[in-house]
Short mmCIF file of all heavy atoms in Angstrom, two decimals:
data_model
loop_
_atom_site.label_atom_id
_atom_site.label_comp_id
_atom_site.label_asym_id
_atom_site.label_seq_id
_atom_site.Cartn_x
_atom_site.Cartn_y
_atom_site.Cartn_z
N GLU A 247 22.75 10.21 -15.50
CA GLU A 247 23.53 9.01 -15.78
C GLU A 247 22.81 7.73 -15.39
O GLU A 247 22.89 6.73 -16.09
CB GLU A 247 24.89 9.11 -15.08
CG GLU A 247 25.74 10.26 -15.63
CD GLU A 247 27.16 10.26 -15.09
OE1 GLU A 247 27.50 9.36 -14.29
OE2 GLU A 247 27.92 11.17 -15.44
N THR A 248 22.08 7.76 -14.28
CA THR A 248 21.38 6.54 -13.84
C THR A 248 19.90 6.56 -14.19
O THR A 248 19.26 5.51 -14.18
CB THR A 248 21.52 6.37 -12.32
OG1 THR A 248 20.81 7.43 -11.65
CG2 THR A 248 22.99 6.41 -11.90
N GLY A 249 19.36 7.74 -14.46
CA GLY A 249 17.94 7.86 -14.73
C GLY A 249 17.08 7.90 -13.48
O GLY A 249 15.85 8.05 -13.57
N ALA A 250 17.70 7.80 -12.31
CA ALA A 250 16.94 7.85 -11.05
C ALA A 250 16.27 9.22 -10.91
O ALA A 250 16.88 10.25 -11.21
CB ALA A 250 17.87 7.60 -9.86
N ALA A 251 15.01 9.22 -10.48
CA ALA A 251 14.24 10.46 -10.39
C ALA A 251 13.69 10.63 -8.98
O ALA A 251 13.43 9.64 -8.26
CB ALA A 251 13.10 10.46 -11.39
N ARG A 252 13.54 11.89 -8.60
CA ARG A 252 12.96 12.20 -7.29
C ARG A 252 12.13 13.47 -7.40
O ARG A 252 12.60 14.48 -7.93
CB ARG A 252 14.05 12.37 -6.24
CG ARG A 252 13.51 12.77 -4.86
CD ARG A 252 14.61 12.88 -3.84
NE ARG A 252 15.25 11.58 -3.60
CZ ARG A 252 16.26 11.41 -2.75
NH1 ARG A 252 16.75 12.45 -2.08
NH2 ARG A 252 16.78 10.21 -2.58
N ASP A 253 10.90 13.39 -6.91
CA ASP A 253 10.04 14.57 -6.86
C ASP A 253 10.28 15.30 -5.55
O ASP A 253 10.22 14.70 -4.47
CB ASP A 253 8.57 14.15 -6.96
CG ASP A 253 8.24 13.53 -8.31
OD1 ASP A 253 8.78 14.03 -9.32
OD2 ASP A 253 7.47 12.55 -8.35
N VAL A 254 10.56 16.60 -5.66
CA VAL A 254 10.83 17.39 -4.46
C VAL A 254 10.11 18.73 -4.57
O VAL A 254 9.79 19.19 -5.67
CB VAL A 254 12.34 17.64 -4.25
CG1 VAL A 254 13.10 16.34 -4.10
CG2 VAL A 254 12.91 18.45 -5.41
N THR A 255 9.89 19.32 -3.43
CA THR A 255 9.39 20.68 -3.37
C THR A 255 10.56 21.58 -2.96
O THR A 255 11.10 21.44 -1.85
CB THR A 255 8.25 20.82 -2.35
OG1 THR A 255 7.16 19.97 -2.75
CG2 THR A 255 7.76 22.26 -2.27
N VAL A 256 10.96 22.44 -3.87
CA VAL A 256 12.13 23.28 -3.63
C VAL A 256 11.71 24.50 -2.82
O VAL A 256 10.87 25.29 -3.25
CB VAL A 256 12.77 23.72 -4.97
CG1 VAL A 256 13.97 24.62 -4.71
CG2 VAL A 256 13.17 22.50 -5.78
N THR A 257 12.30 24.64 -1.66
CA THR A 257 12.05 25.77 -0.78
C THR A 257 13.37 26.50 -0.56
O THR A 257 14.46 25.96 -0.82
CB THR A 257 11.51 25.29 0.57
OG1 THR A 257 12.53 24.49 1.23
CG2 THR A 257 10.25 24.45 0.39
N PRO A 258 13.33 27.74 -0.07
CA PRO A 258 14.58 28.45 0.23
C PRO A 258 15.48 27.68 1.19
O PRO A 258 16.71 27.67 1.04
CB PRO A 258 14.09 29.76 0.85
CG PRO A 258 12.75 29.98 0.22
CD PRO A 258 12.15 28.62 0.08
N ARG A 259 14.88 27.01 2.15
CA ARG A 259 15.69 26.24 3.09
C ARG A 259 16.38 25.07 2.41
O ARG A 259 17.57 24.79 2.67
CB ARG A 259 14.79 25.73 4.23
CG ARG A 259 15.56 24.96 5.30
CD ARG A 259 14.62 24.52 6.41
NE ARG A 259 15.34 23.76 7.43
CZ ARG A 259 14.77 23.21 8.48
NH1 ARG A 259 13.45 23.34 8.66
NH2 ARG A 259 15.49 22.53 9.36
#
Side-chain angles (χ1 to χ4, degrees):
E247 296 188 1
T248 67
R252 177 178 296 179
D253 295 321
V254 300
T255 299
V256 179
T257 64
R259 183 179 179 182

